[in-house]
Amino acid sequence: ILNVEQSPQSLHVQEGDSTNFTCSFPSSNFYALHWYRWETAKSPEALFVMTLNGDEKKKGRISATLNTKEGYSYLYIKGSQPEDSATYLCAFLTGTASKLTFGTGTRLQVTL
Amino acid sequence: DAGVTQSPTHLIKTRGQQVTLRCSPKSGHDTVSWYQQALGQGPQFIFQYYEEEERQRGNFPDRFSGHQFPNYSSELNVNALLLGDSALYLCASSLAPAGGRETQYFGPGTRLLVL
């Protein structure tokens, strides 16, 4: 059974703070890691698909890094804004399956 | 582009009943995956359809079945509903399976409550 863990479970920051979350996954037979942002009452939105060890991806103020050898990925948000408030999910794939295994997410709340 | 759409948005059923959930993929997408998200959990993979066939399946019983139509839309059917089937059911679409490296686009989900 694959175990994808995310920490922290929830996070409360003030506007302008920078923050980061962790996604841990099995390091063996890595294939891809997805990050999603999920705002309340909306559809999960794809942020990044990461495939190579050492990958760094950026989208606006959000960036992510990947370490497949030790089995973790970090998601960073620079200068958090209230609109960043959402649950951030990571999902892991092993082998060539398209079967995403999700973590339980990190719930971020950004206040003024 | 309407993106991925799902219907209905909410549904209430009683134990033992059957339910059908529907999903229309994003324009141009040919692959549909279904996920179940129970309270406090991450989404759990149910199955994936491509070319009208079930290509992969997660750890769900045979009560969960699906179908994909020639226009790539899909249905998820659950028979003999149990209280534990209460969850948010998410549909995701993508282009032809690229071994999991393709971006999946999610719909807003159908919230099912079984009483």
CSV table of all heavy atoms in Angstrom, one decimal, chain A residues 1 9 30-32 34 36 38 41-46 49 51-52 89 93 95-105, chain B residues 4 33 35 37 40-45 48 56-59 88 90 97-109:
chain,number,residue,atom,x,y,z
A,1,ILE,N,0.9,-1.2,0.0
A,1,ILE,CA,0.0,0.0,0.0
A,1,ILE,C,0.9,1.2,0.0
A,1,ILE,O,1.8,1.4,0.8
A,1,ILE,CB,-0.9,0.0,1.2
A,1,ILE,CG1,-1.9,-1.2,1.2
A,1,ILE,CG2,-1.7,1.3,1.3
A,1,ILE,CD1,-2.8,-1.2,2.4
A,9,GLN,N,-0.9,19.4,8.5
A,9,GLN,CA,-2.3,19.2,8.1
A,9,GLN,C,-3.0,20.5,7.8
A,9,GLN,O,-3.8,20.5,6.9
A,9,GLN,CB,-3.0,18.4,9.2
A,9,GLN,CG,-4.4,17.9,8.8
A,9,GLN,CD,-4.9,17.0,9.9
A,9,GLN,OE1,-4.4,16.9,11.0
A,9,GLN,NE2,-6.0,16.4,9.7
A,30,PHE,N,9.7,5.5,-8.4
A,30,PHE,CA,9.0,6.8,-8.6
A,30,PHE,C,8.7,7.0,-10.1
A,30,PHE,O,9.6,6.7,-10.9
A,30,PHE,CB,9.9,8.0,-8.1
A,30,PHE,CG,9.3,9.3,-8.4
A,30,PHE,CD1,8.4,9.9,-7.6
A,30,PHE,CD2,9.7,10.0,-9.5
A,30,PHE,CE1,7.9,11.1,-7.9
A,30,PHE,CE2,9.2,11.2,-9.9
A,30,PHE,CZ,8.3,11.8,-9.0
A,31,TYR,N,7.6,7.6,-10.4
A,31,TYR,CA,7.3,7.9,-11.8
A,31,TYR,C,6.9,9.4,-11.9
A,31,TYR,O,7.4,10.0,-12.8
A,31,TYR,CB,6.2,7.0,-12.3
A,31,TYR,CG,6.1,7.0,-13.8
A,31,TYR,CD1,7.1,6.4,-14.5
A,31,TYR,CD2,5.0,7.6,-14.4
A,31,TYR,CE1,7.0,6.4,-15.9
A,31,TYR,CE2,5.0,7.7,-15.8
A,31,TYR,CZ,6.0,7.0,-16.6
A,31,TYR,OH,5.9,7.1,-17.9
A,32,ALA,N,6.0,9.9,-11.1
A,32,ALA,CA,5.6,11.3,-11.2
A,32,ALA,C,4.9,11.8,-9.9
A,32,ALA,O,4.4,11.0,-9.2
A,32,ALA,CB,4.6,11.5,-12.4
A,34,HIS,N,2.2,14.9,-8.7
A,34,HIS,CA,1.3,16.0,-9.1
A,34,HIS,C,1.0,16.9,-7.8
A,34,HIS,O,0.9,16.3,-6.7
A,34,HIS,CB,0.0,15.5,-9.6
A,34,HIS,CG,0.1,14.7,-10.9
A,34,HIS,ND1,-0.8,15.0,-11.9
A,34,HIS,CD2,0.8,13.7,-11.3
A,34,HIS,CE1,-0.5,14.1,-12.9
A,34,HIS,NE2,0.5,13.4,-12.6
A,36,TYR,N,-1.9,19.8,-6.6
A,36,TYR,CA,-3.2,20.4,-6.9
A,36,TYR,C,-3.5,21.5,-5.9
A,36,TYR,O,-3.2,21.3,-4.7
A,36,TYR,CB,-4.3,19.4,-7.0
A,36,TYR,CG,-4.2,18.4,-8.2
A,36,TYR,CD1,-3.5,17.3,-8.1
A,36,TYR,CD2,-4.9,18.7,-9.3
A,36,TYR,CE1,-3.4,16.4,-9.1
A,36,TYR,CE2,-4.8,17.9,-10.4
A,36,TYR,CZ,-4.1,16.7,-10.3
A,36,TYR,OH,-4.0,15.9,-11.4
A,38,TRP,N,-7.0,23.2,-4.3
A,38,TRP,CA,-8.4,23.0,-4.2
A,38,TRP,C,-9.1,24.0,-3.3
A,38,TRP,O,-9.0,23.9,-2.1
A,38,TRP,CB,-8.7,21.5,-3.7
A,38,TRP,CG,-10.0,21.0,-4.0
A,38,TRP,CD1,-11.1,21.7,-4.5
A,38,TRP,CD2,-10.5,19.7,-3.7
A,38,TRP,NE1,-12.2,20.9,-4.6
A,38,TRP,CE2,-11.9,19.7,-4.1
A,38,TRP,CE3,-10.0,18.6,-3.1
A,38,TRP,CZ2,-12.6,18.5,-3.9
A,38,TRP,CZ3,-10.7,17.5,-2.9
A,38,TRP,CH2,-12.1,17.4,-3.4
A,41,ALA,N,-15.6,24.6,-2.6
A,41,ALA,CA,-16.7,24.7,-3.6
A,41,ALA,C,-16.2,24.8,-5.1
A,41,ALA,O,-17.0,25.2,-5.9
A,41,ALA,CB,-17.6,25.8,-3.3
A,42,LYS,N,-15.0,24.6,-5.3
A,42,LYS,CA,-14.5,24.6,-6.7
A,42,LYS,C,-13.8,23.2,-7.0
A,42,LYS,O,-13.7,22.4,-6.2
A,42,LYS,CB,-13.4,25.7,-6.9
A,42,LYS,CG,-14.0,27.1,-6.7
A,42,LYS,CD,-13.0,28.2,-7.1
A,42,LYS,CE,-13.6,29.5,-7.1
A,42,LYS,NZ,-12.7,30.6,-7.4
A,43,SER,N,-13.4,23.1,-8.3
A,43,SER,CA,-12.7,21.9,-8.7
A,43,SER,C,-11.2,22.0,-8.3
A,43,SER,O,-10.6,23.1,-8.4
A,43,SER,CB,-12.8,21.7,-10.2
A,43,SER,OG,-14.1,21.8,-10.7
A,44,PRO,N,-10.6,20.8,-8.0
A,44,PRO,CA,-9.2,20.8,-7.8
A,44,PRO,C,-8.5,21.4,-9.1
A,44,PRO,O,-8.9,21.0,-10.2
A,44,PRO,CB,-8.8,19.4,-7.6
A,44,PRO,CG,-10.1,18.8,-7.1
A,44,PRO,CD,-11.2,19.5,-7.8
A,45,GLU,N,-7.5,22.2,-8.9
A,45,GLU,CA,-6.8,22.8,-10.0
A,45,GLU,C,-5.3,22.3,-10.1
A,45,GLU,O,-4.6,22.4,-9.1
A,45,GLU,CB,-6.8,24.3,-9.9
A,45,GLU,CG,-5.9,25.1,-10.9
A,45,GLU,CD,-5.6,26.5,-10.5
A,45,GLU,OE1,-6.2,26.9,-9.4
A,45,GLU,OE2,-4.9,27.2,-11.2
A,46,ALA,N,-4.9,21.8,-11.2
A,46,ALA,CA,-3.6,21.3,-11.4
A,46,ALA,C,-2.6,22.4,-11.3
A,46,ALA,O,-2.7,23.5,-11.9
A,46,ALA,CB,-3.4,20.5,-12.7
A,49,VAL,N,3.1,19.0,-12.6
A,49,VAL,CA,3.4,17.6,-12.7
A,49,VAL,C,5.0,17.5,-12.7
A,49,VAL,O,5.6,18.2,-13.5
A,49,VAL,CB,2.9,17.0,-14.0
A,49,VAL,CG1,3.3,15.5,-14.0
A,49,VAL,CG2,1.4,17.2,-14.0
A,51,THR,N,8.5,15.2,-12.6
A,51,THR,CA,8.9,13.9,-13.0
A,51,THR,C,10.4,13.6,-12.7
A,51,THR,O,10.8,12.4,-12.6
A,51,THR,CB,8.6,13.6,-14.5
A,51,THR,OG1,9.3,14.6,-15.2
A,51,THR,CG2,7.1,13.7,-14.8
A,52,LEU,N,11.2,14.6,-12.7
A,52,LEU,CA,12.7,14.3,-12.6
A,52,LEU,C,13.2,14.8,-11.2
A,52,LEU,O,12.9,15.8,-10.7
A,52,LEU,CB,13.4,15.1,-13.7
A,52,LEU,CG,13.1,14.6,-15.1
A,52,LEU,CD1,13.8,15.5,-16.1
A,52,LEU,CD2,13.5,13.2,-15.3
A,89,LEU,N,-3.0,19.6,-2.4
A,89,LEU,CA,-2.9,18.2,-2.4
A,89,LEU,C,-1.7,17.8,-3.3
A,89,LEU,O,-1.5,18.3,-4.4
A,89,LEU,CB,-4.2,17.5,-3.1
A,89,LEU,CG,-5.5,17.6,-2.3
A,89,LEU,CD1,-6.7,17.3,-3.2
A,89,LEU,CD2,-5.5,16.6,-1.2
A,93,LEU,N,2.6,8.8,-8.3
A,93,LEU,CA,2.5,7.7,-9.2
A,93,LEU,C,3.7,6.8,-9.2
A,93,LEU,O,4.9,7.4,-9.2
A,93,LEU,CB,2.3,8.1,-10.6
A,93,LEU,CG,0.9,8.6,-10.9
A,93,LEU,CD1,0.9,10.1,-11.0
A,93,LEU,CD2,0.4,8.1,-12.3
A,95,GLY,N,5.6,3.4,-11.1
A,95,GLY,CA,5.6,2.6,-12.3
A,95,GLY,C,5.0,3.4,-13.4
A,95,GLY,O,5.1,4.7,-13.5
A,96,THR,N,4.2,2.8,-14.3
A,96,THR,CA,3.6,3.5,-15.4
A,96,THR,C,2.1,3.6,-15.2
A,96,THR,O,1.4,3.9,-16.2
A,96,THR,CB,3.9,2.8,-16.7
A,96,THR,OG1,3.4,1.4,-16.6
A,96,THR,CG2,5.4,2.8,-17.0
A,97,ALA,N,1.6,3.4,-14.0
A,97,ALA,CA,0.1,3.5,-13.8
A,97,ALA,C,-0.3,4.9,-13.8
A,97,ALA,O,0.4,5.8,-13.4
A,97,ALA,CB,-0.2,2.8,-12.5
A,98,SER,N,-1.5,5.1,-14.3
A,98,SER,CA,-2.1,6.5,-14.2
A,98,SER,C,-2.9,6.6,-13.0
A,98,SER,O,-3.7,7.5,-12.9
A,98,SER,CB,-3.0,6.7,-15.5
A,98,SER,OG,-2.2,6.8,-16.6
A,99,LYS,N,-2.7,5.8,-12.0
A,99,LYS,CA,-3.5,5.7,-10.8
A,99,LYS,C,-2.8,6.6,-9.8
A,99,LYS,O,-1.8,6.3,-9.2
A,99,LYS,CB,-3.5,4.3,-10.3
A,99,LYS,CG,-4.4,4.0,-9.2
A,99,LYS,CD,-4.6,2.5,-8.9
A,99,LYS,CE,-3.4,1.9,-8.3
A,99,LYS,NZ,-3.7,0.5,-7.9
A,100,LEU,N,-3.4,7.8,-9.6
A,100,LEU,CA,-2.8,8.8,-8.6
A,100,LEU,C,-3.2,8.3,-7.2
A,100,LEU,O,-4.3,8.0,-6.9
A,100,LEU,CB,-3.4,10.2,-8.9
A,100,LEU,CG,-3.0,10.9,-10.2
A,100,LEU,CD1,-3.8,12.2,-10.3
A,100,LEU,CD2,-1.5,11.2,-10.1
A,101,THR,N,-2.2,8.4,-6.3
A,101,THR,CA,-2.4,8.1,-4.9
A,101,THR,C,-2.2,9.5,-4.2
A,101,THR,O,-1.1,10.0,-4.2
A,101,THR,CB,-1.4,7.1,-4.3
A,101,THR,OG1,-1.6,5.9,-5.0
A,101,THR,CG2,-1.6,6.9,-2.8
A,102,PHE,N,-3.3,10.0,-3.6
A,102,PHE,CA,-3.3,11.3,-3.1
A,102,PHE,C,-2.9,11.3,-1.6
A,102,PHE,O,-3.2,10.3,-0.9
A,102,PHE,CB,-4.7,11.9,-3.2
A,102,PHE,CG,-5.0,12.5,-4.5
A,102,PHE,CD1,-5.5,11.7,-5.5
A,102,PHE,CD2,-4.8,13.9,-4.8
A,102,PHE,CE1,-5.8,12.3,-6.8
A,102,PHE,CE2,-5.1,14.4,-6.0
A,102,PHE,CZ,-5.6,13.6,-7.0
A,103,GLY,N,-2.3,12.4,-1.1
A,103,GLY,CA,-2.2,12.7,0.3
A,103,GLY,C,-3.5,13.3,0.8
A,103,GLY,O,-4.5,13.5,0.0
A,104,THR,N,-3.6,13.5,2.1
A,104,THR,CA,-4.8,14.1,2.6
A,104,THR,C,-4.8,15.6,2.5
A,104,THR,O,-5.8,16.3,2.9
A,104,THR,CB,-5.0,13.7,4.1
A,104,THR,OG1,-3.8,14.0,4.8
A,104,THR,CG2,-5.3,12.2,4.2
A,105,GLY,N,-3.7,16.2,2.1
A,105,GLY,CA,-3.7,17.7,1.8
A,105,GLY,C,-3.2,18.5,3.0
A,105,GLY,O,-3.2,18.1,4.2
B,4,VAL,N,-14.4,20.3,-17.2
B,4,VAL,CA,-15.0,19.0,-16.8
B,4,VAL,C,-16.3,19.3,-16.0
B,4,VAL,O,-16.3,20.1,-15.1
B,4,VAL,CB,-14.1,18.2,-15.9
B,4,VAL,CG1,-14.8,16.9,-15.5
B,4,VAL,CG2,-12.8,17.9,-16.6
B,33,SER,N,-11.1,9.5,-15.4
B,33,SER,CA,-10.8,8.8,-14.2
B,33,SER,C,-11.8,9.2,-13.1
B,33,SER,O,-12.2,10.4,-13.1
B,33,SER,CB,-9.4,9.1,-13.7
B,33,SER,OG,-8.4,8.8,-14.7
B,35,TYR,N,-12.7,9.3,-8.9
B,35,TYR,CA,-12.1,9.2,-7.5
B,35,TYR,C,-13.2,9.4,-6.5
B,35,TYR,O,-14.2,10.1,-6.7
B,35,TYR,CB,-11.1,10.4,-7.3
B,35,TYR,CG,-9.9,10.3,-8.2
B,35,TYR,CD1,-9.9,10.8,-9.5
B,35,TYR,CD2,-8.7,9.7,-7.8
B,35,TYR,CE1,-8.8,10.7,-10.3
B,35,TYR,CE2,-7.6,9.6,-8.6
B,35,TYR,CZ,-7.7,10.1,-9.9
B,35,TYR,OH,-6.6,10.0,-10.7
B,37,GLN,N,-13.8,10.7,-2.6
B,37,GLN,CA,-13.2,11.4,-1.5
B,37,GLN,C,-14.1,11.3,-0.3
B,37,GLN,O,-15.1,12.0,-0.2
B,37,GLN,CB,-12.8,12.8,-1.7
B,37,GLN,CG,-11.9,13.4,-0.6
B,37,GLN,CD,-11.8,14.9,-0.6
B,37,GLN,OE1,-12.7,15.6,-1.1
B,37,GLN,NE2,-10.7,15.4,-0.1
B,40,GLY,N,-12.3,13.8,5.3
B,40,GLY,CA,-11.0,13.8,6.0
B,40,GLY,C,-9.9,13.0,5.3
B,40,GLY,O,-8.8,12.8,5.8
B,41,GLN,N,-10.2,12.5,4.1
B,41,GLN,CA,-9.3,11.7,3.3
B,41,GLN,C,-8.9,12.4,2.0
B,41,GLN,O,-9.6,13.3,1.6
B,41,GLN,CB,-9.9,10.3,2.9
B,41,GLN,CG,-10.4,9.5,4.1
B,41,GLN,CD,-9.3,8.9,4.9
B,41,GLN,OE1,-8.3,8.5,4.3
B,41,GLN,NE2,-9.5,8.9,6.2
B,42,GLY,N,-7.8,11.9,1.4
B,42,GLY,CA,-7.6,12.4,0.0
B,42,GLY,C,-8.4,11.6,-0.9
B,42,GLY,O,-8.9,10.5,-0.6
B,43,PRO,N,-8.5,12.1,-2.2
B,43,PRO,CA,-9.3,11.3,-3.2
B,43,PRO,C,-8.7,9.9,-3.4
B,43,PRO,O,-7.4,9.8,-3.4
B,43,PRO,CB,-9.1,12.2,-4.4
B,43,PRO,CG,-8.9,13.6,-3.9
B,43,PRO,CD,-8.1,13.4,-2.7
B,44,GLN,N,-9.5,8.9,-3.5
B,44,GLN,CA,-9.1,7.5,-3.7
B,44,GLN,C,-9.5,7.1,-5.2
B,44,GLN,O,-10.7,7.3,-5.5
B,44,GLN,CB,-9.8,6.6,-2.7
B,44,GLN,CG,-9.5,6.9,-1.3
B,44,GLN,CD,-8.1,6.5,-0.9
B,44,GLN,OE1,-7.7,5.4,-1.2
B,44,GLN,NE2,-7.4,7.4,-0.2
B,45,PHE,N,-8.5,6.6,-5.9
B,45,PHE,CA,-8.8,6.2,-7.3
B,45,PHE,C,-9.7,5.0,-7.4
B,45,PHE,O,-9.5,4.0,-6.7
B,45,PHE,CB,-7.4,5.8,-7.9
B,45,PHE,CG,-7.5,5.3,-9.3
B,45,PHE,CD1,-7.6,6.2,-10.4
B,45,PHE,CD2,-7.5,4.0,-9.6
B,45,PHE,CE1,-7.7,5.8,-11.7
B,45,PHE,CE2,-7.5,3.5,-10.9
B,45,PHE,CZ,-7.6,4.4,-12.0
B,48,GLN,N,-10.3,4.1,-14.3
B,48,GLN,CA,-10.0,4.9,-15.4
B,48,GLN,C,-10.6,4.3,-16.7
B,48,GLN,O,-10.4,3.1,-16.9
B,48,GLN,CB,-8.5,5.2,-15.6
B,48,GLN,CG,-8.2,6.2,-16.7
B,48,GLN,CD,-6.7,6.3,-16.8
B,48,GLN,OE1,-6.0,5.5,-17.4
B,48,GLN,NE2,-6.1,7.4,-16.3
B,56,GLN,N,-7.7,0.8,-15.8
B,56,GLN,CA,-7.1,0.6,-14.5
B,56,GLN,C,-8.2,0.6,-13.5
B,56,GLN,O,-9.2,1.3,-13.7
B,56,GLN,CB,-6.0,1.6,-14.2
B,56,GLN,CG,-4.8,1.5,-15.1
B,56,GLN,CD,-3.7,2.3,-14.5
B,56,GLN,OE1,-3.2,1.9,-13.4
B,56,GLN,NE2,-3.2,3.3,-15.2
B,57,ARG,N,-8.0,0.0,-12.4
B,57,ARG,CA,-9.0,-0.1,-11.3
B,57,ARG,C,-8.3,0.0,-10.0
B,57,ARG,O,-7.2,-0.6,-9.8
B,57,ARG,CB,-9.8,-1.3,-11.4
B,57,ARG,CG,-11.0,-1.3,-10.5
B,57,ARG,CD,-11.8,-2.6,-10.6
B,57,ARG,NE,-13.0,-2.5,-9.8
B,57,ARG,CZ,-14.2,-2.0,-10.1
B,57,ARG,NH1,-14.4,-1.6,-11.4
B,57,ARG,NH2,-15.2,-2.0,-9.3
B,58,GLY,N,-8.8,0.8,-9.0
B,58,GLY,CA,-8.3,0.8,-7.7
B,58,GLY,C,-9.0,-0.3,-6.8
B,58,GLY,O,-9.6,-1.2,-7.3
B,59,ASN,N,-8.8,-0.2,-5.5
B,59,ASN,CA,-9.3,-1.2,-4.6
B,59,ASN,C,-10.8,-0.9,-4.2
B,59,ASN,O,-11.1,-0.6,-3.1
B,59,ASN,CB,-8.4,-1.2,-3.3
B,59,ASN,CG,-7.0,-1.7,-3.7
B,59,ASN,OD1,-6.8,-2.5,-4.5
B,59,ASN,ND2,-6.1,-1.1,-3.0
B,88,LEU,N,-17.7,12.5,-1.6
B,88,LEU,CA,-17.6,13.3,-2.8
B,88,LEU,C,-17.0,12.5,-3.9
B,88,LEU,O,-15.9,11.9,-3.7
B,88,LEU,CB,-16.8,14.6,-2.5
B,88,LEU,CG,-16.6,15.5,-3.7
B,88,LEU,CD1,-18.0,16.2,-4.0
B,88,LEU,CD2,-15.6,16.6,-3.4
B,90,LEU,N,-15.4,12.5,-7.5
B,90,LEU,CA,-14.7,13.4,-8.5
B,90,LEU,C,-14.4,12.7,-9.8
B,90,LEU,O,-14.0,11.5,-9.8
B,90,LEU,CB,-13.4,13.9,-7.9
B,90,LEU,CG,-13.5,14.8,-6.7
B,90,LEU,CD1,-12.1,14.9,-6.0
B,90,LEU,CD2,-13.9,16.2,-7.1
B,97,PRO,N,-3.7,8.3,-22.0
B,97,PRO,CA,-2.8,8.1,-20.9
B,97,PRO,C,-1.3,8.1,-21.2
B,97,PRO,O,-0.9,7.5,-22.2
B,97,PRO,CB,-3.2,6.7,-20.4
B,97,PRO,CG,-4.6,6.5,-20.9
B,97,PRO,CD,-4.7,7.3,-22.2
B,98,ALA,N,-0.6,9.0,-20.5
B,98,ALA,CA,0.9,9.1,-20.8
B,98,ALA,C,1.6,8.6,-19.6
B,98,ALA,O,2.6,9.2,-19.1
B,98,ALA,CB,1.2,10.5,-21.0
B,99,GLY,N,1.1,7.5,-19.0
B,99,GLY,CA,1.8,6.8,-17.9
B,99,GLY,C,1.7,7.6,-16.6
B,99,GLY,O,2.4,7.4,-15.7
B,100,GLY,N,0.7,8.5,-16.6
B,100,GLY,CA,0.5,9.3,-15.3
B,100,GLY,C,1.2,10.6,-15.3
B,100,GLY,O,1.0,11.4,-14.4
B,101,ARG,N,1.9,11.0,-16.4
B,101,ARG,CA,2.5,12.3,-16.5
B,101,ARG,C,1.6,13.3,-17.1
B,101,ARG,O,2.0,14.5,-17.2
B,101,ARG,CB,3.8,12.2,-17.2
B,101,ARG,CG,4.8,11.4,-16.4
B,101,ARG,CD,6.1,11.1,-17.1
B,101,ARG,NE,7.1,10.5,-16.2
B,101,ARG,CZ,8.3,10.1,-16.5
B,101,ARG,NH1,8.7,10.2,-17.8
B,101,ARG,NH2,9.1,9.5,-15.6
B,102,GLU,N,0.4,12.9,-17.6
B,102,GLU,CA,-0.5,13.9,-18.1
B,102,GLU,C,-1.2,14.6,-17.0
B,102,GLU,O,-1.5,14.1,-16.0
B,102,GLU,CB,-1.5,13.2,-19.1
B,102,GLU,CG,-2.5,12.4,-18.4
B,102,GLU,CD,-2.0,11.0,-18.0
B,102,GLU,OE1,-0.8,10.7,-18.1
B,102,GLU,OE2,-2.9,10.1,-17.7
B,103,THR,N,-1.5,15.9,-17.3
B,103,THR,CA,-2.3,16.7,-16.3
B,103,THR,C,-3.7,16.2,-16.3
B,103,THR,O,-4.3,16.0,-17.4
B,103,THR,CB,-2.2,18.2,-16.6
B,103,THR,OG1,-0.8,18.6,-16.5
B,103,THR,CG2,-3.0,19.0,-15.7
B,104,GLN,N,-4.3,16.0,-15.1
B,104,GLN,CA,-5.7,15.6,-15.0
B,104,GLN,C,-6.5,16.9,-14.6
B,104,GLN,O,-6.1,17.6,-13.7
B,104,GLN,CB,-5.8,14.5,-14.1
B,104,GLN,CG,-5.2,13.2,-14.5
B,104,GLN,CD,-5.7,12.0,-13.8
B,104,GLN,OE1,-6.7,12.0,-13.2
B,104,GLN,NE2,-4.9,10.9,-13.8
B,105,TYR,N,-7.6,17.1,-15.3
B,105,TYR,CA,-8.4,18.2,-15.0
B,105,TYR,C,-9.7,17.7,-14.3
B,105,TYR,O,-10.4,16.8,-14.8
B,105,TYR,CB,-8.8,18.9,-16.3
B,105,TYR,CG,-7.6,19.6,-16.9
B,105,TYR,CD1,-6.7,18.9,-17.7
B,105,TYR,CD2,-7.4,21.0,-16.7
B,105,TYR,CE1,-5.6,19.5,-18.3
B,105,TYR,CE2,-6.3,21.6,-17.3
B,105,TYR,CZ,-5.4,20.9,-18.1
B,105,TYR,OH,-4.3,21.5,-18.6
B,106,PHE,N,-10.0,18.2,-13.1
B,106,PHE,CA,-11.1,17.7,-12.3
B,106,PHE,C,-12.3,18.5,-12.5
B,106,PHE,O,-12.3,19.7,-12.7
B,106,PHE,CB,-10.7,17.8,-10.8
B,106,PHE,CG,-9.8,16.6,-10.4
B,106,PHE,CD1,-8.4,16.7,-10.6
B,106,PHE,CD2,-10.3,15.5,-9.8
B,106,PHE,CE1,-7.5,15.7,-10.2
B,106,PHE,CE2,-9.4,14.5,-9.4
B,106,PHE,CZ,-8.1,14.5,-9.6
B,107,GLY,N,-13.5,17.8,-12.3
B,107,GLY,CA,-14.7,18.5,-12.2
B,107,GLY,C,-15.0,18.9,-10.7
B,107,GLY,O,-14.2,18.6,-9.9
B,108,PRO,N,-16.2,19.5,-10.5
B,108,PRO,CA,-16.5,20.0,-9.1
B,108,PRO,C,-16.9,18.9,-8.2
B,108,PRO,O,-17.0,19.1,-7.0
B,108,PRO,CB,-17.6,21.0,-9.4
B,108,PRO,CG,-18.2,20.6,-10.6
B,108,PRO,CD,-17.1,20.0,-11.5
B,109,GLY,N,-17.3,17.7,-8.8
B,109,GLY,CA,-17.7,16.6,-7.9
B,109,GLY,C,-19.2,16.5,-7.8
B,109,GLY,O,-19.9,17.4,-8.0
